[in-house]
Amino acid sequence: ISSILIVLNLKTYLEGTGENSVRIAQACKDVADDSGIDIAVAPQFCDIYRVASQVDIPVYSQHLDSVGAGSFTGHAFSRCIKDAGAVGTLINHSERRLTLAEIDASVQAAKKSGLATIVCTNNVPTSAAAAALSPDYVAVEPPELIGSGIPVSKADPAVVTGSVEAILKVNPAVKVLCGAGISKGEDLAAALELGSVGVLLASGIVKAASPKAALEDLVSKI
Ligand code: G3P
């Protein structure tokens, strides 16, 4: 159970913005404590400090730029993200795509600041390419299933098993997450069956009438 990781991306959903980010993070913390499963939350930049200082839960940034200290304006600087209380960052989310060179630079910048790295990918070849950059995790998410409510573990199991296989060949130290349309306990159980170590998810929990009840269902089949 301890090697399973669930990362809840709050995106820019109003239900996960501002004070709401703290409420959802607290629900994650409660369910993590009860289940013994690691649950992390990825709020917007401006909410990282708010969440990290009020809830004892791993906080990830939704993005990170590779800029260093100095004459740069309007960037997400790794050191600032770390100082705000984050322990890691998503990189190259489908809704925040980067070039391969930028992904590499962002992974390096995050590592330099002591942040864990989750590089998001959209198919098997990009999963293999991301693994070559040695992030801690690669999270494969077919874009067409994001926000669809149709779980990747059912609709496209081959993209998960294919990514697991390709990543193992390129860099066996990289762990695999999968995401898109995940919301139920059976979706997480299927994702683990396919060889991933956890899931990256958003709408099924953030937009649920009770995020806590939805999270309880998510971990119920482990
Ligand atoms: O970052 C997670 C995400 O892109 C999946 O979104 O709403 O399909 O769980 P969702």
Side-chain angles (χ1 to χ4, degrees):
I1 280 184
S2 61
S3 59
I4 299 172
L5 177 64
I6 294 170
V7 181
L8 182 62
N9 180 0
L10 304 187
K11 304 197 173 184
T12 60
Y13 287 121
L14 285 177
E15 294 88 340
T17 297
E19 274 308 306
N20 289 340
S21 64
V22 177
R23 276 193 281 277
I24 292 205
Q26 188 58 55
C28 291
K29 158 89 179 142
D30 293 345
V31 175
D33 285 351
D34 290 348
S35 64
I37 294 173
D38 291 337
I39 305 181
V41 67
Q44 292 164 62
F45 297 125
C46 296
D47 289 327
I48 291 176
Y49 181 77
R50 184 197 301 263
V51 172
S53 54
Q54 292 185 53
V55 186
D56 184 16
I57 188 171
V59 177
Y60 279 66
S61 176
Q62 294 180 9
H63 167 76
L64 175 147
D65 289 309
S66 61
V67 295
S71 187
F72 303 98
T73 301
H75 292 261
F77 175 31
S78 58
R79 170 69 181 270
C80 191
I81 289 169
K82 171 80 173 172
D83 285 356
V87 301
T89 185
L90 304 181
I91 292 169
N92 193 47
H93 192 280
S94 273
E95 294 153 3
R96 192 65 175 86
R97 279 272 178 259
L98 299 173
T99 64
L100 190 59
E102 285 167 334
I103 298 168
D104 183 33
S106 294
V107 168
Q108 298 312 320
K111 285 187 177 182
K112 208 172 149 197
S113 291
L115 292 165
T117 47
I118 300 174
V119 173
C120 302
T121 60
N122 58 311
N123 58 26
V124 175
T126 59
S127 292
L133 306 176
S134 300
D136 295 290
Y137 296 88
V138 165
V140 62
E141 300 194 314
E144 66 279 9
L145 296 176
I146 292 178
S148 69
I150 303 167
V152 60
S153 44
K154 254 190 212 144
D156 195 357
V159 80
V160 184
T161 51
S163 291
V164 169
E165 204 179 311
I167 289 166
L168 193 64
K169 275 188 202 143
V170 173
N171 189 342
V174 177
K175 291 165 276 191
V176 184
L177 302 174
C178 65
I182 302 284
S183 66
K184 302 275 177 233
E186 66 202 53
D187 306 338
L188 173 57
L192 299 176
E193 281 283 306
L194 297 171
S196 70
V197 301
V199 291
L200 175 59
L201 78 173
S203 53
I205 306 294
V206 179
K207 294 186 71 66
S210 165
K212 186 168 178 196
L215 284 161
E216 280 164 347
D217 184 277
L218 182 69
V219 300
S220 64
K221 301 276 193 291
I222 305 303

